[in-house]
Amino acid sequence: MYYSIKVFVLTIAATVMMGIPCLSQDVEPPFTWEGEGAVTFIRQEGTEVIDFDIKLSIDKDGYVKGYTKQNDSSSTIKHVFASEKKEYELPGFFSRKVVIVLMLNENDDNPMLAIMNGRLLVDKFFYGETLLTRYEAGSDIAKALGIGNPQVTLMEEGGLPWNLQSMLDKCLPFGVVQIEGKYKKDAEPISLFNGENLEGWHIFLKDADVDPKEVWKVKDGAIWCKGDPLGFLRTKEEYSDFKLSVEWRWPENPTNSGILLRMSDEETTFPLCMEAQLKHQSAGDVVGMGCDFNENQAKEDSFFRHCPRQNESSEVEPGGWNTYEIICKGDTIELTVNGQFQNKATGVGVRKGHIGLQSEGSPIMFRNIKLIPLD
């Protein structure tokens, strides 16, 4: 029990920092805040100080993504509330009330919500009320906190949901946290597709007798792929660590395709790479083509390593546009489909390569292909 409480307090403490980038600096999204903090954990046996790392990103639309981490424990930021405007008590000094919602053990059998309520004073946060509660999908509490909403947003004005405020009113003071970190403005996205032609892209088809222009073409600001014969369209440039956003839709019967990551230069149908699966109803699956990763569930000697998506399909009905968000950082790849986290691959061997789109079935369209390099 002691360990679970320790992780809980740590997580709550780390979350406190989440209000700092937006609330202590007059900046507009998108931005990222990374830092380190320490929480003074006061319990019956004595006082203990726990260190942690944190990261929070808010995109231009106000969508929130973040986590806290200490040793092997982690938690996902689900919502950030700012319940009142800044209060300037002295010149150069201000405070603001902030509430952060986390999910602990998100993919385990016993997920929990952690809620923190406190006050930010410039770059120091001193908090009082905290709460740990079981997570029940679809409950009034979950709805009030925005849990289950695939696109979690930053809420700055308008106060707190009434049932969240009711819960906080019953909490007792718990401890003190101090956080120091660094703020950075997110890099501007690079458009890999200019909407007019395939400049910067290379085409490979299994059948060399087929005219590439009959398989891959640009129409109405989108890339149209016929889907036959097998092959791919890949960038001429190589990329290592990045955040990639791609929109796709099936104009006819949906079948199979994929987004190829860190591709080799091989002129073959299935080059060495990692794949973000686009097969209908399987978007969010991770596939390794000749590349292993820790979560692989296929046979060890199989060329195609595979890990199915972790959540129910979040694809829209065929004919509508979908959005893939892919983060490649070091040996880790994360996949999000239409705002719903779907998968994570760790221990990935390939670290740099091209980005590709597959021709593998029926007609498919792509647009708004944008990449943000990551440090």
Side-chain angles (χ1 to χ4, degrees):
M1 182 62 180
Y2 163 65
Y3 178 78
S4 63
I5 292 177
K6 176 179 176 180
V7 172
F8 160 59
V9 176
L10 157 73
T11 310
I12 291 297
T15 334
V16 176
M17 179 180 174
M18 299 310 171
I20 292 178
C22 186
L23 303 180
S24 66
Q25 303 185 49
D26 292 321
V27 296
E28 296 295 328
F31 59 74
T32 298
W33 174 272
E34 294 178 326
E36 298 177 348
V39 57
T40 302
F41 175 38
I42 304 174
R43 57 191 183 92
Q44 187 174 2
E45 292 81 1
T47 301
E48 181 179 3
V49 177
I50 304 172
D51 298 320
F52 55 85
D53 299 320
I54 107 171
K55 182 176 182 179
L56 171 72
S57 296
I58 301 179
D59 69 15
K60 62 182 178 61
D61 297 317
Y63 297 141
V64 174
K65 183 174 183 180
Y67 71 89
T68 65
K69 183 177 182 182
Q70 185 261 342
N71 295 333
D72 294 330
S73 64
S74 63
S75 59
T76 303
I77 307 304
K78 284 297 184 182
H79 231 118
V80 180
F81 298 90
S83 62
E84 61 185 29
K85 296 181 179 179
K86 292 179 183 177
E87 295 180 356
Y88 289 85
E89 300 175 354
L90 295 171
F93 291 88
F94 60 83
S95 66
R96 190 168 186 177
K97 189 175 182 181
V98 181
V99 176
I100 318 287
V101 180
L102 290 170
M103 178 172 281
L104 286 68
N105 308 321
E106 184 170 5
N107 298 315
D108 292 343
D109 295 333
N110 186 33
M112 306 286 283
L113 292 183
I115 305 167
M116 178 282 305
N117 178 30
R119 183 166 291 278
L120 174 71
L121 177 59
V122 190
D123 61 348
K124 299 291 188 297
F125 194 100
F126 300 94
Y127 76 90
E129 303 88 3
T130 61
L131 177 67
L132 181 67
T133 183
R134 293 187 183 278
Y135 168 63
E136 295 181 8
S139 66
D140 290 341
I141 292 176
K143 292 177 182 178
L145 301 181
I147 307 300
N149 179 356
Q151 294 179 316
V152 182
T153 57
L154 169 71
M155 297 178 61
E156 293 195 80
E157 307 296 344
L160 304 176
W162 68 269
N163 39 5
L164 171 58
Q165 184 62 61
S166 177
M167 295 167 63
L168 293 174
D169 290 342
K170 301 175 183 177
C171 297
L172 298 174
F174 214 96
V176 178
V177 63
Q178 179 175 337
I179 293 130
E180 295 180 358
K182 59 181 180 180
Y183 158 87
K184 64 177 182 180
K185 193 74 173 176
D186 286 353
E188 291 296 321
I190 300 171
S191 293
L192 300 184
F193 168 54
N194 61 21
E196 298 179 356
N197 53 52
L198 296 178
E199 181 180 354
W201 293 81
H202 169 74
I203 298 175
F204 168 79
L205 297 177
K206 182 178 181 181
D207 188 343
D209 295 330
V210 176
D211 183 358
K213 295 181 180 179
E214 295 297 319
V215 181
W216 295 94
K217 61 183 179 180
V218 176
K219 180 181 177 182
D220 299 329
I223 297 175
W224 289 64
C225 175
K226 183 179 179 181
D228 180 54
L230 294 175
F232 57 74
L233 176 74
R234 68 163 170 79
T235 60
K236 294 180 180 179
E237 296 291 330
E238 293 186 330
Y239 303 92
S240 180
D241 291 351
F242 55 83
K243 179 178 180 180
L244 177 68
S245 177
V246 181
E247 294 183 13
W248 87 93
R249 72 180 282 261
W250 300 98
E252 300 177 11
N253 181 47
T255 54
N256 201 358
S257 183
I259 299 173
L260 308 183
L261 309 167
R262 296 173 172 175
M263 297 173 60
S264 69
D265 289 322
E266 297 174 284
E267 294 284 293
T268 181
T269 307
F270 301 109
L272 176 70
C273 67
M274 294 294 292
E275 176 188 1
Q277 182 64 267
L278 283 177
K279 182 179 180 181
H280 183 50
Q281 295 299 308
S282 295
D285 287 14
V286 175
V287 177
M289 296 183 187
C291 180
D292 204 3
F293 57 98
N294 294 334
E295 292 76 11
N296 172 45
Q297 298 182 19
K299 294 181 179 179
E300 293 185 2
D301 59 349
S302 173
F303 177 78
F304 295 99
R305 279 73 160 180
H306 176 249
C307 178
R309 52 180 165 75
Q310 297 183 16
N311 295 300
E312 293 184 3
S313 174
S314 51
E315 299 174 47
V316 302
E317 291 295 321
W321 285 100
N322 298 270
T323 301
Y324 231 137
E325 290 185 345
I326 301 167
I327 297 177
C328 293
K329 181 73 171 178
D331 69 348
T332 301
I333 296 177
E334 296 184 11
L335 305 181
T336 299
V337 178
N338 294 324
Q340 172 66 58
F341 171 80
Q342 289 292 0
N343 224 330
K344 182 177 182 178
T346 61
V348 176
V350 290
R351 297 296 183 89
K352 186 177 182 180
H354 307 279
I355 294 172
L357 309 173
Q358 274 189 315
S359 173
E360 195 185 9
S362 60
I364 186 171
M365 300 167 59
F366 301 93
R367 70 179 186 186
N368 292 332
I369 306 172
K370 298 182 179 180
L371 180 143
I372 298 177
L374 302 178
D375 295 334

